[in-house]
Every structure is written in C-alpha cells, then in structure tokens.
Amino acid sequence: MTTAVSRREVKRERVDFPRRLTVELSGSCNLQCVMCPRQLVEKVSGLMDIDLYGKVITEARNYVPVTLVPFFRGEPLLHPNLLEMIKMAKEARLGPIQLTTNAMLLEREISEELVAMGLDFISFSLDMLDKEAYEATRVGGEYERVMENIETFLKVRARAAGRTNTPEVQVSAVETEENRESMDDFINYWGKRVDRVRIYPAHSAGGALGSLKKGENLIHFDKRLPCEKLFNDMVICWNGDVAVCNHDWERKEFIGNIGSATIHEVWTGEKYNELRRRHDEGKVENDPTCSGCDHWKMYYLPEGMIGRLYGGEQV
C-alpha cells in the first residue's frame, strides 16, 4: 500500500564535477539473467579502451573525492585489464571504489590482487541459495563455482585483516516471485558471513527502465520531483558515451562522449543542463528513460534508498 507522508528534504548543491562516476569497463556479460534489463534493449557488448579509461581517471583525480563504480551493464571481470584499471584509480586517490560482480570469474589470484591493492567495496550478485533456482535465473552461472569463489574471497580478506585496509563485502539479491519465499534464509545465511546484505526490488519488468510495481513505490508523490542522479552522478559507457544513470541503458538523446570531450565539458554542457531543467520543472514525460522510472523517489524517502539493507549504510 502506498502512503502519503512527509518526504525527506533534499538540499541540492550544484557541483562542477560529478561526485560519483560509474564507468562501464565491460558492456558484455557472461550470464543471461532473466530479470536483467538486457532483455529489453538492443544487445550491449564491448570493452572500454584502457586509454579512454586513463583519460577518465586523469581528469577525475583533479576533483577528488570522487566515488568510482567500475561497473554498469556488463560483467567487469571480463575486462583483461581490470586489475590494472583498479590500480590506476587507487593511485589517483579516487574512492571509494565500489566493484560489483557475479563472481563467476573471480579466481583466487584476482581476489588476492583486489584485497592487496585496497579495494574499498565489493558486491556479489547472487539472488538465492538454491542451486537449481540460481542456475535457472542466472542463466550461464555455475552455483558451486560462484559460492566457492565468494568463500575464497572472504578467506583471502580475513587473512589480510590488520595488514591492509580490507574491502567491505556485500551480497545482493533481486527479489522476484521465484525467490521471495526463501529471502529470509538468504539474508540469514549471508548476514553471518559478510558485512551487508542488499535486497533490490525487481524493476523494468513492464518494459520501462527503472519502473517498479505499484507496491514497491512505497510513498505516493503528488508530482514528479527531480532525480538527484542528474546533479551528482555520471555514467560513462564502454565506448565513452554518457548516460544519466544506471537505469539509462540506451540513451537515445545524445549527451556527450568522453572520447571527444572532457567530463567537465559534458557535465556542465547545455545538453546536461537541459535535462536538469526538465527535471526541475517536472517535464520528463518525453524522456525515453526518465518518463517511466520510479527510482527518483529514493532521494525523498526517509531511508534514502529503494529496497532493503541489512548491515552497513547506503552507498
């Protein structure tokens, strides 16, 4: 049931550079998850050129602190230069660096390198504890292999404790009809092993990217309010194209490309500012992504998030 309540006030501060950069190292993925928005858009594939990535890091280092999320539509461990890229960001003092992976390719050597270089945060996308259900949902995934890889990472982290800053570990699930009944078991199991468990509601199932079922809207709003992602976050796709958020899987209205312009030029440019004006005025009905999205509400909810978090704080 949705309820009208006093919303959290958002104090916006215009910034000359995004506080958070999502950089898509890989547009390709090794799994075909049934609830993934990949099913709704044209095929996404490709790896970010390391020189383009270097350009991003070189500019961002002039504006620290900048949160870096080296993950968007694909699996970042598919990039052969992943470890070098994380190291470049660490040396540039970007952070926190927040990596997300399905853990299929997380070999012991990679875990050891990530922990040794001081990765700040890692999230494992898992969804359920049942092997048959997992492999039917995360098509292409191997349950035993993923579980072993995560357990190995936790052991590597435990051995490094006290000698280096070890990463905060999250395990996440997308709550669907298939796993809803077993979600308490999932939370209890991982809650004893990792720092935090994050439960996300399924979204985009109706075809609109970022949309939620009515029961997930939580609070009724009399009008559309500005999404704060436009004022704080930037998403850079593997080919340099800029999207406005992590729900913007196919930006049909070109904003800019970091290969031919700087982040600052795109961020402060007329196209980005026009999008912000539309949000300020509540006129997003013609935007292919924003018009059907519900995730703007997270900024006005008391929790500051959509979904549930067990342990830790929203990142």
Side-chain angles (χ1 to χ4, degrees), residues 95-112:
I97 300 174
Q98 301 166 347
L99 181 66
T100 295
T101 175
N102 58 42
M104 269 287 291
L105 304 176
L106 190 67
E107 299 175 353
R108 174 183 289 274
E109 293 77 10
I110 297 175
S111 293
E112 290 173 345

PDB file of all heavy atoms in Angstrom, residues 95-112:
ATOM      1  N   GLY A  95      38.008   7.369  -4.917  1.00  0.00           N
ATOM      2  CA  GLY A  95      37.397   6.438  -3.993  1.00  0.00           C
ATOM      3  C   GLY A  95      36.298   7.062  -3.166  1.00  0.00           C
ATOM      4  O   GLY A  95      36.139   8.277  -3.157  1.00  0.00           O
ATOM      5  N   PRO A  96      35.516   6.189  -2.528  1.00  0.00           N
ATOM      6  CA  PRO A  96      35.708   4.741  -2.528  1.00  0.00           C
ATOM      7  C   PRO A  96      35.463   4.123  -3.899  1.00  0.00           C
ATOM      8  O   PRO A  96      34.677   4.636  -4.685  1.00  0.00           O
ATOM      9  CB  PRO A  96      34.679   4.247  -1.502  1.00  0.00           C
ATOM     10  CG  PRO A  96      33.627   5.314  -1.480  1.00  0.00           C
ATOM     11  CD  PRO A  96      34.336   6.597  -1.718  1.00  0.00           C
ATOM     12  N   ILE A  97      36.158   3.015  -4.146  1.00  0.00           N
ATOM     13  CA  ILE A  97      35.989   2.250  -5.379  1.00  0.00           C
ATOM     14  C   ILE A  97      35.072   1.076  -5.065  1.00  0.00           C
ATOM     15  O   ILE A  97      35.375   0.255  -4.192  1.00  0.00           O
ATOM     16  CB  ILE A  97      37.341   1.761  -5.921  1.00  0.00           C
ATOM     17  CG1 ILE A  97      38.245   2.962  -6.225  1.00  0.00           C
ATOM     18  CG2 ILE A  97      37.138   0.921  -7.179  1.00  0.00           C
ATOM     19  CD1 ILE A  97      39.648   2.591  -6.628  1.00  0.00           C
ATOM     20  N   GLN A  98      33.954   1.017  -5.768  1.00  0.00           N
ATOM     21  CA  GLN A  98      32.898   0.062  -5.456  1.00  0.00           C
ATOM     22  C   GLN A  98      32.669  -0.864  -6.651  1.00  0.00           C
ATOM     23  O   GLN A  98      32.096  -0.467  -7.660  1.00  0.00           O
ATOM     24  CB  GLN A  98      31.611   0.812  -5.098  1.00  0.00           C
ATOM     25  CG  GLN A  98      31.789   1.742  -3.896  1.00  0.00           C
ATOM     26  CD  GLN A  98      30.650   2.722  -3.726  1.00  0.00           C
ATOM     27  OE1 GLN A  98      29.822   2.904  -4.610  1.00  0.00           O
ATOM     28  NE2 GLN A  98      30.599   3.368  -2.576  1.00  0.00           N
ATOM     29  N   LEU A  99      33.129  -2.087  -6.535  1.00  0.00           N
ATOM     30  CA  LEU A  99      33.064  -3.071  -7.618  1.00  0.00           C
ATOM     31  C   LEU A  99      31.888  -4.016  -7.405  1.00  0.00           C
ATOM     32  O   LEU A  99      31.619  -4.436  -6.275  1.00  0.00           O
ATOM     33  CB  LEU A  99      34.362  -3.867  -7.670  1.00  0.00           C
ATOM     34  CG  LEU A  99      34.502  -4.934  -8.757  1.00  0.00           C
ATOM     35  CD1 LEU A  99      34.526  -4.292 -10.140  1.00  0.00           C
ATOM     36  CD2 LEU A  99      35.755  -5.779  -8.527  1.00  0.00           C
ATOM     37  N   THR A 100      31.194  -4.344  -8.486  1.00  0.00           N
ATOM     38  CA  THR A 100      30.122  -5.337  -8.448  1.00  0.00           C
ATOM     39  C   THR A 100      30.427  -6.425  -9.467  1.00  0.00           C
ATOM     40  O   THR A 100      30.869  -6.140 -10.579  1.00  0.00           O
ATOM     41  CB  THR A 100      28.759  -4.695  -8.773  1.00  0.00           C
ATOM     42  OG1 THR A 100      28.418  -3.762  -7.750  1.00  0.00           O
ATOM     43  CG2 THR A 100      27.667  -5.753  -8.857  1.00  0.00           C
ATOM     44  N   THR A 101      30.204  -7.681  -9.081  1.00  0.00           N
ATOM     45  CA  THR A 101      30.497  -8.809  -9.963  1.00  0.00           C
ATOM     46  C   THR A 101      29.554  -9.968  -9.669  1.00  0.00           C
ATOM     47  O   THR A 101      29.041 -10.104  -8.549  1.00  0.00           O
ATOM     48  CB  THR A 101      31.959  -9.271  -9.791  1.00  0.00           C
ATOM     49  OG1 THR A 101      32.182 -10.454 -10.572  1.00  0.00           O
ATOM     50  CG2 THR A 101      32.292  -9.575  -8.345  1.00  0.00           C
ATOM     51  N   ASN A 102      29.336 -10.812 -10.672  1.00  0.00           N
ATOM     52  CA  ASN A 102      28.567 -12.040 -10.430  1.00  0.00           C
ATOM     53  C   ASN A 102      29.451 -13.164  -9.900  1.00  0.00           C
ATOM     54  O   ASN A 102      28.959 -14.251  -9.604  1.00  0.00           O
ATOM     55  CB  ASN A 102      27.827 -12.482 -11.698  1.00  0.00           C
ATOM     56  CG  ASN A 102      28.744 -12.718 -12.896  1.00  0.00           C
ATOM     57  OD1 ASN A 102      29.824 -13.306 -12.769  1.00  0.00           O
ATOM     58  ND2 ASN A 102      28.314 -12.278 -14.078  1.00  0.00           N
ATOM     59  N   ALA A 103      30.757 -12.914  -9.788  1.00  0.00           N
ATOM     60  CA  ALA A 103      31.730 -13.813  -9.146  1.00  0.00           C
ATOM     61  C   ALA A 103      32.065 -15.071  -9.935  1.00  0.00           C
ATOM     62  O   ALA A 103      32.864 -15.886  -9.474  1.00  0.00           O
ATOM     63  CB  ALA A 103      31.284 -14.197  -7.730  1.00  0.00           C
ATOM     64  N   MET A 104      31.528 -15.227 -11.123  1.00  0.00           N
ATOM     65  CA  MET A 104      31.852 -16.420 -11.911  1.00  0.00           C
ATOM     66  C   MET A 104      33.336 -16.483 -12.277  1.00  0.00           C
ATOM     67  O   MET A 104      33.936 -17.554 -12.336  1.00  0.00           O
ATOM     68  CB  MET A 104      31.003 -16.432 -13.184  1.00  0.00           C
ATOM     69  CG  MET A 104      29.681 -17.163 -13.050  1.00  0.00           C
ATOM     70  SD  MET A 104      29.869 -18.960 -12.982  1.00  0.00           S
ATOM     71  CE  MET A 104      30.396 -19.302 -14.675  1.00  0.00           C
ATOM     72  N   LEU A 105      33.942 -15.331 -12.529  1.00  0.00           N
ATOM     73  CA  LEU A 105      35.326 -15.278 -12.993  1.00  0.00           C
ATOM     74  C   LEU A 105      36.297 -14.870 -11.881  1.00  0.00           C
ATOM     75  O   LEU A 105      37.460 -14.594 -12.161  1.00  0.00           O
ATOM     76  CB  LEU A 105      35.439 -14.292 -14.159  1.00  0.00           C
ATOM     77  CG  LEU A 105      34.512 -14.569 -15.350  1.00  0.00           C
ATOM     78  CD1 LEU A 105      34.647 -13.460 -16.392  1.00  0.00           C
ATOM     79  CD2 LEU A 105      34.809 -15.927 -15.962  1.00  0.00           C
ATOM     80  N   LEU A 106      35.831 -14.866 -10.655  1.00  0.00           N
ATOM     81  CA  LEU A 106      36.641 -14.374  -9.537  1.00  0.00           C
ATOM     82  C   LEU A 106      37.604 -15.461  -9.048  1.00  0.00           C
ATOM     83  O   LEU A 106      37.393 -16.099  -8.007  1.00  0.00           O
ATOM     84  CB  LEU A 106      35.739 -13.906  -8.395  1.00  0.00           C
ATOM     85  CG  LEU A 106      36.432 -13.150  -7.265  1.00  0.00           C
ATOM     86  CD1 LEU A 106      36.948 -11.799  -7.747  1.00  0.00           C
ATOM     87  CD2 LEU A 106      35.474 -12.955  -6.097  1.00  0.00           C
ATOM     88  N   GLU A 107      38.679 -15.661  -9.781  1.00  0.00           N
ATOM     89  CA  GLU A 107      39.679 -16.645  -9.379  1.00  0.00           C
ATOM     90  C   GLU A 107      40.462 -16.149  -8.158  1.00  0.00           C
ATOM     91  O   GLU A 107      40.500 -14.957  -7.856  1.00  0.00           O
ATOM     92  CB  GLU A 107      40.633 -16.897 -10.546  1.00  0.00           C
ATOM     93  CG  GLU A 107      39.935 -17.446 -11.783  1.00  0.00           C
ATOM     94  CD  GLU A 107      40.857 -17.576 -12.971  1.00  0.00           C
ATOM     95  OE1 GLU A 107      42.016 -17.110 -12.861  1.00  0.00           O
ATOM     96  OE2 GLU A 107      40.433 -18.115 -14.004  1.00  0.00           O
ATOM     97  N   ARG A 108      41.100 -17.075  -7.468  1.00  0.00           N
ATOM     98  CA  ARG A 108      41.830 -16.737  -6.243  1.00  0.00           C
ATOM     99  C   ARG A 108      42.856 -15.623  -6.477  1.00  0.00           C
ATOM    100  O   ARG A 108      42.989 -14.713  -5.665  1.00  0.00           O
ATOM    101  CB  ARG A 108      42.540 -17.965  -5.683  1.00  0.00           C
ATOM    102  CG  ARG A 108      43.447 -17.662  -4.474  1.00  0.00           C
ATOM    103  CD  ARG A 108      44.173 -18.890  -4.002  1.00  0.00           C
ATOM    104  NE  ARG A 108      43.262 -19.813  -3.367  1.00  0.00           N
ATOM    105  CZ  ARG A 108      42.926 -19.760  -2.079  1.00  0.00           C
ATOM    106  NH1 ARG A 108      43.410 -18.807  -1.308  1.00  0.00           N
ATOM    107  NH2 ARG A 108      42.113 -20.658  -1.570  1.00  0.00           N
ATOM    108  N   GLU A 109      43.577 -15.684  -7.577  1.00  0.00           N
ATOM    109  CA  GLU A 109      44.607 -14.673  -7.848  1.00  0.00           C
ATOM    110  C   GLU A 109      43.998 -13.275  -7.968  1.00  0.00           C
ATOM    111  O   GLU A 109      44.595 -12.288  -7.510  1.00  0.00           O
ATOM    112  CB  GLU A 109      45.359 -15.019  -9.135  1.00  0.00           C
ATOM    113  CG  GLU A 109      46.201 -16.289  -9.061  1.00  0.00           C
ATOM    114  CD  GLU A 109      45.377 -17.573  -9.165  1.00  0.00           C
ATOM    115  OE1 GLU A 109      44.160 -17.482  -9.491  1.00  0.00           O
ATOM    116  OE2 GLU A 109      45.934 -18.661  -8.923  1.00  0.00           O
ATOM    117  N   ILE A 110      42.825 -13.186  -8.554  1.00  0.00           N
ATOM    118  CA  ILE A 110      42.151 -11.898  -8.675  1.00  0.00           C
ATOM    119  C   ILE A 110      41.720 -11.403  -7.302  1.00  0.00           C
ATOM    120  O   ILE A 110      41.893 -10.216  -6.970  1.00  0.00           O
ATOM    121  CB  ILE A 110      40.943 -12.007  -9.621  1.00  0.00           C
ATOM    122  CG1 ILE A 110      41.403 -12.370 -11.028  1.00  0.00           C
ATOM    123  CG2 ILE A 110      40.144 -10.704  -9.638  1.00  0.00           C
ATOM    124  CD1 ILE A 110      40.267 -12.615 -12.010  1.00  0.00           C
ATOM    125  N   SER A 111      41.181 -12.295  -6.496  1.00  0.00           N
ATOM    126  CA  SER A 111      40.786 -11.924  -5.130  1.00  0.00           C
ATOM    127  C   SER A 111      41.981 -11.399  -4.344  1.00  0.00           C
ATOM    128  O   SER A 111      41.888 -10.376  -3.649  1.00  0.00           O
ATOM    129  CB  SER A 111      40.177 -13.127  -4.408  1.00  0.00           C
ATOM    130  OG  SER A 111      38.949 -13.506  -5.001  1.00  0.00           O
ATOM    131  N   GLU A 112      43.105 -12.091  -4.455  1.00  0.00           N
ATOM    132  CA  GLU A 112      44.300 -11.676  -3.715  1.00  0.00           C
ATOM    133  C   GLU A 112      44.775 -10.298  -4.165  1.00  0.00           C
ATOM    134  O   GLU A 112      45.163  -9.458  -3.346  1.00  0.00           O
ATOM    135  CB  GLU A 112      45.400 -12.723  -3.889  1.00  0.00           C
ATOM    136  CG  GLU A 112      45.082 -14.034  -3.169  1.00  0.00           C
ATOM    137  CD  GLU A 112      46.080 -15.141  -3.470  1.00  0.00           C
ATOM    138  OE1 GLU A 112      46.848 -14.992  -4.460  1.00  0.00           O
ATOM    139  OE2 GLU A 112      46.097 -16.143  -2.730  1.00  0.00           O
TER     140      GLU A 112
END
